[in-house]
Amino acid sequence: MKPKPIKEVKARIQQHRRVGVDYFRLRLLCPEIARLAQPGQFVMLRVSDSSDPLLRRPFSFFRIFPPQTKKRKRPEDEGALEICYQVVGRGTSRMTQLREGERLDVLGPLGKGFWPEEGRSLAILIGGGIGVAPLVAWAEQLRREQGKKKRFSKTSGNLKEVLVLIGGKSRDKIPGIREFMRMGLEPQIATEDGSLGFQGLATDLLERELVTQGHKSAALYSCGPLPMLARVAQITDQFDLPCQVLLESRMACGVGACLGCAVKVRDRTLRGALEDEDARAQGAAVHLEDRCGEEMAGSWREGLAPIIAEPPAFFRYVRGCKEGPVFEARDILWE
Amino acid sequence: MSPKTDNPSLQVNLGSLKLKNPVIAASGTFGYGEEYSGIIPLGSLGAIVTKGLSLEPRKGNPPPRLAETPAGMLNAIGLENVGLEIFLQEKLPFLRKARCPVLVNIFGSTVEEYAELAKRLSAVDGIAGLEVNISCPNVKAGGAIFAAEPKTVYKVISKIRRATSSFVMVKLSPNVADIGKIALAAEEAGADAVSLINTLTGLAIDVQTRTPVLGNITGGLSGPAIKPIGLRMVWQAAQVVRIPVVGIGGIVTAKDALEYLIAGATAIQVGTAHFIDPRAGLKIIDGIQRYLQANNFPDVASLVGSLKIKKDTGQPT
Ligand SMILES: Cc1cc2nc3c(=O)[nH]c(=O)nc-3n(C[C@H](O)[C@H](O)[C@H](O)COP(=O)(O)OP(=O)(O)OC[C@H]3O[C@@H](n4cnc5c(N)ncnc54)[C@H](O)[C@@H]3O)c2cc1C
Ligand SMILES: Cc1cc2nc3c(=O)[nH]c(=O)nc-3n(C[C@H](O)[C@H](O)[C@H](O)COP(=O)(O)O)c2cc1C
Ligand code: FES
């Protein structure tokens, strides 16, 4: 298979502004990447020319502006990407000093983004904190496809509705509210401090929706802190609904070369199944040790009896940057 | 003074292996080539070294596997790899089309495993040679124990030498007392070249949680932070062996590469720098070319090992 094109460009910063206490938006002029970008995919930004901080930083697309051939009224019509970021450490602090007009090294688009779940009439987008950012781009795409649905768009032929559930610590820790409103979506909001909407968690909103409305034909798309995603996975499992999650992992290369961004998933491949049989046959422990490293085998050995009766779901590591960052929630081993 | 050379040759010879230029992509930082092929023309590089390969697939260490450190990074990948069988079936066909020599980085947990891998790989075409990793700090099976003693280095390399007639380069660990002795042992055992350094063992701690950042507790340090160490070790190794030395460690710019060449490296490898700039290798090739032109060197070889040391300050302390 031919590798997907990835561009490495010096993008001009079109706009950079603070949108909350520690939230910023950065719009980059880069038609090469904007043309190819899909919601849920990401870019690696080189935040400094010095060797400290050394590595690039991954950021999801908050908004995608593909290059417009006809009307070019706004600057972003030339093809731009917007990211929304939260300041958490050295790299993101450094980013706050970037100025409009400066150029920034951008590598992308990277990874596998959200994909439409066939035959589902409702898309529920559920996000927490900065994790709401990539859902904005996804909502925009779903709305666009919805608009085209009379012409039988293959991606969302049956999509009738988009429901947005978002949450955060407080009202200023939830990006994208205005963007959702502009799309005609009325997001349900939960804040932990009760400063906006329902006091509680976004997952509470989800449970309420599913219990009261059923939503048997929904598909879920989620991004946010790990405990939230794990809870979303649990809930959607209970209700037997397909669910995609965008997972963050530590990345160095972003292109699949370093294997640094490992995500632990259930192994459903034939090879996994065979290894599983092997492990069963050989009484597991020794075999597991040389395949999975001593530490891991050790923790399994503690519960050896159940292993022999029923081996644990076989797992493998996949690359968060290549096979992800969007995964099927039921594939992830949440620990 | 020699006449000005407009077109200095970048070709270098690692023993029997001819490279069109001295810049090689380092193992574990370039995947199986494919990953970067959509971004840069692989054919421009001197060679590619693939991710460390073992007979059986390996899952690698639990995450987090990465931590950033001042001017460097720690990794604890744990030699995750697809194993020989899948490598041959799924990765090699692509590499054969890469239009640059491919070195396969191998490791095992026993001498026999190393020899078996060497034997099986020498029978397939599309591979220019082997880089024998006896130096991964992250797993017991990474052979780090072999790298520590000249005796064990000799043992594993001579066994590999008997198993294959391919080009064999031995990748050395910096986590040793006397690099010269280790390099010599590799040479005596029949290695065609040595490459150094692999990563140094390091630790990162999260002070909020007071836990190690890495799932494996310790990891291998790479990047600009390790350049002075790599440079020193390459210089020391190049003093004692006659086989070519390949320099690795913190090479980001052409200047870094030139320092290694001057210290005695015949070629160099670029690792972590490719994460930051996929074009790093290409830029380094360019920079070396320009340096040779500007300083009237007819070829790379005349630069190798040209370090000038004043007599009165020449002794290492
Ligand atoms: C696919 C992907 C998409 C992302 N999209 C966005 C986005 O749209 N907006 C946004 O603000 N952030 C996003 N992130 C997270 C962002 O990459 C990190 O916040 C950033 O790299 C931190 O850099 P730093 O130098 O400021 O932090 P550092 O100084 O490196 O670390 C500070 C703290 O941040 C945390 N951290 C560091 N790296 C990561 C990481 N990769 N994932 C999670 N936590 C991390 C660590 O716990 C650490 O304690 C994304 C991450 C991934 C993997
Ligand atoms: C993520 C990562 C994975 C690596 N995997 C291997 C490996 O499989 N085999 C090996 O011999 N060296 C491996 N190395 C070591 C590099 O090839 C190189 O020796 C080291 O990173 C120092 O060079 P640098 O500073 O240019 O990165 C790895 C390094 C990194 C950063
Ligand atoms: S970040 Fe390097 S493989 Fe994913």
Side-chain angles (χ1 to χ4, degrees):
Chain A
M1 206 180 71
K2 232 182 141 196
K4 276 200 219 140
I6 298 173
K7 309 286 176 191
E8 208 256 326
V9 296
K10 273 212 173 287
R12 192 163 59 79
I13 298 174
Q14 281 189 325
Q15 205 175 70
H16 189 208
R17 56 197 165 108
R18 186 189 286 267
V19 292
V21 181
D22 47 10
Y23 283 59
F24 286 76
R25 287 215 202 135
L26 183 68
R27 200 173 64 214
L28 302 159
L29 178 68
C30 49
E32 304 90 334
I33 300 176
R35 180 177 292 125
L36 303 166
Q38 292 295 318
Q41 287 189 298
F42 65 98
V43 280
M44 295 286 281
L45 299 186
R46 188 166 178 196
V47 300
S48 134
D49 282 336
S50 80
S51 55
D52 202 22
L54 183 67
L55 299 171
R56 287 180 185 246
R57 299 290 193 264
F59 295 95
S60 311
F61 302 131
F62 173 70
R63 301 196 68 193
I64 301 168
F65 304 96
Q68 301 293 315
T69 38
K70 291 197 186 119
K71 49 152 208 242
R72 274 195 189 165
K73 289 192 189 133
R74 306 165 305 170
E76 59 265 36
D77 288 340
E78 296 208 22
L81 291 169
E82 195 163 307
I83 64 156
C84 178
Y85 68 93
Q86 182 181 12
V87 179
V88 297
R90 285 161 54 69
T92 43
S93 311
R94 184 102 189 197
M95 280 168 68
T96 62
Q97 292 158 18
L98 293 168
R99 301 188 176 207
E100 290 172 8
E102 255 183 80
R103 283 180 183 271
L104 193 62
D105 259 333
V106 188
L107 183 69
L110 302 168
K112 187 184 72 183
F114 294 110
W115 64 93
E117 294 284 353
E118 291 296 322
R120 296 271 150 179
S121 62
L122 170 68
I124 303 181
L125 279 49
I126 170 164
I130 190 67
V132 173
L135 298 178
V136 170
W138 183 227
E140 269 191 332
Q141 171 148 334
L142 290 176
R143 290 300 263 182
R144 237 187 339 263
E145 300 280 336
Q146 235 180 336
K148 289 192 288 193
K149 87 174 165 230
K150 286 187 204 87
R151 283 187 280 130
F152 259 152
S153 139
K154 75 168 189 301
T155 50
S156 57
N158 297 312
L159 183 65
K160 294 201 180 68
E161 244 186 290
V162 178
L163 179 64
V164 178
L165 314 173
I166 51 183
K169 286 217 163 57
S170 59
R171 61 185 307 161
D172 58 346
K173 302 264 186 209
I174 311 173
I177 297 177
R178 198 174 298 160
E179 280 70 20
F180 286 123
M181 305 280 275
R182 233 179 255 146
M183 287 176 233
L185 297 166
E186 296 274 341
Q188 293 184 34
I189 299 169
T191 50
E192 285 174 44
D193 66 358
S195 56
L196 188 65
F198 168 82
Q199 178 163 14
L201 304 170
T203 47
D204 298 335
L205 297 175
L206 177 63
E207 271 189 288
R208 191 173 67 185
E209 271 295 326
L210 295 180
V211 169
T212 60
Q213 310 291 320
H215 292 318
K216 287 203 169 53
S217 183
L220 282 97
Y221 305 91
S222 186
C223 180
L226 209 59
M228 172 191 150
L229 295 181
R231 182 76 187 117
V232 170
Q234 205 176 31
I235 296 170
T236 51
D237 199 44
Q238 267 165 23
F239 285 85
D240 197 24
L241 296 172
C243 176
Q244 296 172 23
V245 290
L246 190 156
L247 286 187
E248 288 188 1
S249 48
R250 298 260 178 148
M251 297 182 180
C253 71
V255 301
C258 72
L259 309 179
C261 56
V263 171
K264 196 171 187 178
V265 299
R266 257 173 256 282
D267 193 349
R268 297 179 198 281
T269 62
L270 183 59
R271 175 171 283 269
L274 291 176
E275 283 183 358
D276 212 0
E277 282 300 309
D278 267 8
R280 211 191 299 246
Q282 298 192 16
V286 180
H287 203 71
L288 291 178
E289 183 167 294
D290 67 45
R291 269 166 208 239
C292 317
E294 200 172 3
E295 252 166 72
M296 206 102 46
S299 66
W300 283 351
R301 204 182 298 131
E302 277 165 27
L304 198 60
I307 289 180
I308 291 167
E310 190 193 351
F314 225 85
F315 76 91
R316 63 195 170 114
Y317 292 120
V318 293
R319 297 165 297 184
C321 71
K322 198 81 183 183
E323 282 78 26
V326 180
F327 293 94
E328 275 181 55
R330 61 198 181 97
D331 281 345
I332 304 296
L333 286 162
W334 309 91
E335 301 187 315
Chain B
M1 193 154 149
S2 54
K4 186 166 161 57
T5 5
D6 285 334
N7 210 3
S9 162
L10 286 184
Q11 192 187 308
V12 296
N13 299 334
L14 294 178
S16 57
L17 184 66
K18 289 197 188 344
L19 305 184
K20 61 180 165 291
N21 65 62
V23 178
I24 304 169
S27 175
T29 64
F30 215 69
Y32 298 100
E34 238 169 314
E35 292 80 358
Y36 280 104
S37 64
I39 314 173
I40 58 157
L42 303 186
S44 307
L45 293 167
I48 296 174
V49 190
T50 57
K51 173 71 191 163
L53 183 70
S54 49
L55 281 171
E56 291 292 318
R58 282 185 64 95
K59 282 192 159 82
N61 290 330
R65 294 176 171 184
L66 298 172
E68 201 181 54
T69 59
M73 61 175 274
L74 291 172
N75 88 80
I77 310 300
L79 292 175
E80 173 179 341
N81 79 94
V82 297
L84 179 64
E85 206 176 301
I86 294 187
F87 173 78
L88 294 176
Q89 278 168 29
E90 292 174 16
K91 306 296 178 185
L92 193 59
F94 174 85
L95 286 163
R96 284 202 185 103
K97 291 184 284 181
R99 306 167 95 199
C100 81
V102 174
L103 296 168
V104 180
N105 182 281
I106 61 166
F107 71 93
S109 45
T110 62
V111 175
E112 288 68 34
E113 273 177 40
Y114 275 100
E116 173 74 12
L117 262 171
K119 196 172 116 203
R120 305 258 305 263
L121 286 166
S122 68
V124 296
D125 58 58
I127 297 172
L130 306 177
E131 181 179 61
V132 182
N133 179 8
I134 51 169
S135 42
C136 181
N138 291 327
V139 290
K140 279 197 197 133
I145 21 171
F146 293 110
E149 295 290 334
K151 231 188 294 173
T152 42
V153 172
Y154 184 86
K155 196 168 153 200
V156 66
I157 302 305
S158 49
K159 187 98 180 197
I160 290 171
R161 183 71 290 168
R162 284 196 290 276
T164 180
S165 54
S166 298
F167 170 82
V168 171
M169 175 155 84
V170 184
K171 183 156 173 184
L172 306 180
S173 165
N175 305 314
V176 298
D178 187 343
I179 195 72
K181 286 205 179 104
I182 306 281
L184 260 181
E187 178 177 59
E188 279 161 14
D192 297 297
V194 287
S195 54
L196 61 161
I197 57 179
N198 208 317
T199 53
L200 291 110
T201 311
L203 172 68
I205 293 173
D206 182 332
V207 295
Q208 290 310 319
T209 57
R210 300 205 302 279
T211 55
V213 174
L214 297 174
N216 192 49
I217 306 178
T218 60
L221 180 64
S222 65
I226 71 169
K227 192 184 81 176
I229 301 168
L231 205 51
R232 181 264 295 176
M233 293 190 124
V234 162
W235 176 63
Q236 286 176 335
Q239 312 261 299
V240 297
V241 296
R242 273 160 306 176
I243 52 176
V245 174
V246 173
I248 320 167
I251 298 175
V252 178
T253 63
K255 182 183 156 288
D256 301 327
L258 290 164
E259 288 184 49
Y260 270 94
L261 296 171
I262 293 166
T266 302
I268 55 99
Q269 294 187 17
V270 177
T272 303
H274 275 138
F275 301 157
I276 305 148
D277 181 0
R279 274 174 229 289
L282 307 184
K283 288 180 183 165
I284 291 170
I285 296 169
D286 249 29
I288 294 174
Q289 172 108 39
R290 271 186 274 120
Y291 177 90
L292 295 177
Q293 264 164 9
N295 294 281
N296 294 326
F297 283 98
D299 50 27
V300 187
S302 39
L303 181 67
V304 172
S306 61
L307 183 67
K308 300 175 197 162
I309 295 181
K310 286 193 202 112
K311 281 223 170 64
D312 52 347
T313 57
Q315 286 310 306
T317 46

